[in-house]
């Protein structure tokens, strides 16, 4: 079974872009053709709409980007029908050759952490939620990460640990100083050590199966954290609708144009609502708006970040 960092690196090189599409379905924002035909849809109807919407996005972006990131909360809020839908979306994306990063931000200790890890990082088809990667919170300490790392390694999968998040309130705890360093730097040092301890087989890169979430909304800290974590793939949220631009994420890459995947969710999946696309595409053509927004993101990252070097690969 191939190592996660090797698979992610290969997928980025194959598609020649670090663009990551987040799948965050919201009933009010679905294109008109996918809206349930009732004022009070049942959970099953909403879940079905979410599946159709997500599959429609995946069908468009699978040839264009290396990975997708389903956000579990938008499915879980519906209840059992929603969690079943999440499983369908994860497995459909994997069947299309995409690297699937499930954004569930799980964490606990001991057997509970082990159970979370088995649910999301177990062997292919072992559970409906079996993914290539899972986002994980670090704030229960190193022993809370170990079960996730162990099970991820066993199955060729990976984790992304929250290090410096993109939300304005994240700094309240993450920026606190301890031993002359902000807390996020302490977390970053641990994450990079875990990455060093879990190397891949591909000698063309030095990344491990443990990555870090670092927001695009703090460009200077992103540059510093790239230096702290030279062996760590970075998942960078905050691009697009949250205010981050291509130039803001440039510091997340290594000299090869690797090392960072840049997430955009609303700006792509709800592109049919954006003025520049609403004027070009009718509601039934919402997938063309998704494609156009994805291509715009790919072009922007290629033009303004070291990821442009990926375009030169044969």
């Amino acid at each position: 079974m191939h190592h996660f960092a090797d698979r992610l690196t290969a997928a980025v090189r194959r598609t020649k872009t670090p663009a990551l599409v987040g799948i965050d379905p919201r009933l009010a924002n679905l294109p008109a053709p996918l809206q349930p035909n009732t004022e009070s849809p049942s959970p099953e109807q909403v879940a079905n709409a979410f599946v159709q919407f997500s599959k429609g996005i995946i069908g468009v972006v699978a040839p264009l980007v290396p990975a997708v990131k389903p956000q579990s909360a938008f499915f879980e809020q519906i209840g059992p029908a929603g969690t079943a839908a999440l499983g369908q979306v994860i497995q459909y994306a994997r069947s299309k050759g995409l690297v699937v990063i499930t954004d569930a931000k799980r964490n606990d200790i001991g057997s509970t952490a082990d159970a979370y890890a088995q649910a999301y990082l177990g062997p292919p088809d072992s559970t409906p939620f079996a993914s290539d990667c899972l986002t994980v919170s670090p704030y229960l300490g190193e022993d809370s990460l170990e079960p996730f790392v162990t099970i991820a390694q066993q199955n060729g999968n990976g984790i992304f640990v929250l290090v410096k998040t993109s939300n304005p309130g994240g700094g309240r705890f993450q920026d606190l100083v301890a031993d002359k360093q902000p807390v996020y730097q302490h977390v970053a040092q641990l994450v990079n050590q875990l990455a060093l301890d879990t190397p891949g087989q591909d000698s063309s890169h030095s990344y491990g199966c443990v990555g870090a979430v670092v927001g695009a909304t703090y460009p200077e800290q992103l540059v510093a954290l790239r230096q702290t974590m030279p062996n760590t793939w970075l998942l960078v949220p905050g691009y697009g609708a949250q205010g981050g631009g291509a130039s803001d994420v440039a510091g997340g890459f290594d000299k090869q144009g690797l090392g960072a995947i840049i997430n955009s969710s609303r700006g792509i999946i709800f592109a049919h609502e954006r003025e520049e696309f609403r004027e070009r595409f009718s509601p039934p053509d919402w997938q063309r708006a998704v494609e156009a927004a994805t291509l715009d993101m790919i072009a922007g990252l290629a033009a303004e970040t070291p990821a442009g070097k990926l375009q030169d690969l044969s």
Side-chain angles (χ1 to χ4, degrees):
M1 187 172 297
H2 295 301
H3 187 277
F4 171 72
D6 292 347
R7 289 191 286 117
L8 180 58
T9 300
V12 170
R13 284 174 168 156
R14 184 185 72 250
T15 56
K16 301 183 179 182
T17 183
L20 169 67
V21 176
I23 300 179
D24 302 4
R26 308 176 192 200
L27 183 60
N29 300 104
L30 295 189
L34 298 183
Q35 290 284 347
N37 295 318
T38 177
E39 291 185 3
S40 301
S42 67
E44 289 74 21
Q45 289 173 311
V46 175
N48 182 64
F50 281 9
V51 169
Q52 296 308 309
F53 177 60
S54 301
K55 286 185 173 181
I57 293 164
I58 291 164
V60 171
V61 305
L64 303 176
V65 303
V68 292
K69 183 175 71 65
Q71 168 52 258
S72 66
F74 291 102
F75 296 90
E76 291 173 8
Q77 66 179 334
I78 307 170
T83 56
L86 174 63
Q88 291 182 55
V89 170
I90 290 170
Q91 299 312 316
Y92 183 75
R94 296 191 85 180
S95 76
K96 295 299 181 181
L98 287 159
V99 174
V100 178
I101 301 166
T102 298
D103 193 356
K105 298 179 178 69
R106 295 299 192 248
N107 189 251
D108 215 304
I109 58 172
S111 60
T112 311
D114 189 86
Y116 276 137
Q118 292 287 2
Y120 290 96
L121 300 170
D125 302 320
S126 59
T127 78
F129 307 128
S131 310
D132 298 284
C133 190
L134 176 70
T135 57
V136 177
S137 171
Y139 287 99
L140 272 72
E142 184 173 0
D143 58 334
S144 72
L145 297 178
E146 290 169 354
F148 292 96
V149 176
T150 298
I151 291 172
Q153 255 198 307
Q154 289 172 353
N155 297 296
N157 294 323
I159 63 172
F160 278 105
V161 180
L162 304 180
V163 173
K164 187 71 178 92
T165 58
S166 59
N167 60 304
R172 179 162 186 171
F173 299 127
Q174 295 163 18
D175 293 355
L176 290 175
V177 174
D179 294 332
K180 299 181 181 181
Q181 288 186 321
V183 168
Y184 68 79
Q185 279 285 2
H186 290 280
V187 178
Q189 290 162 12
L190 170 60
V191 168
N192 196 67
Q193 185 59 54
L194 292 172
L196 274 171
D197 293 342
T198 58
Q201 301 299 312
D202 183 352
S203 61
S204 70
H205 70 83
S206 59
Y207 295 109
C209 77
V210 180
V213 178
V214 182
T217 47
Y218 302 101
E220 293 181 2
Q221 292 168 339
L222 177 59
V223 171
L225 287 166
R226 173 76 283 164
Q227 295 174 349
T228 301
M229 298 183 288
N231 306 100
T232 304
W233 268 97
L234 305 182
L235 190 168
V236 185
Y239 181 94
Q242 292 188 53
S247 61
D248 296 318
V249 304
F253 295 91
D254 65 22
K255 294 179 180 179
Q256 300 181 72
L258 295 169
I261 47 173
I262 314 303
N263 181 74
S264 180
S265 299
R266 286 171 285 170
I268 288 180
I269 66 174
F270 301 134
H272 63 279
E273 296 183 333
R274 293 168 56 182
E275 184 175 353
E276 65 266 40
F277 299 123
R278 190 168 60 241
E279 295 174 353
R280 291 167 54 189
F281 305 114
S282 64
D285 291 330
W286 67 272
Q287 287 173 285
R288 292 178 62 197
V290 168
E291 180 182 41
T294 304
L295 291 173
D296 281 356
M297 180 183 181
I298 291 170
L301 292 173
E304 298 189 53
T305 79
K309 295 178 181 179
L310 298 168
Q311 300 293 320
D312 299 329
L313 297 176
S314 60

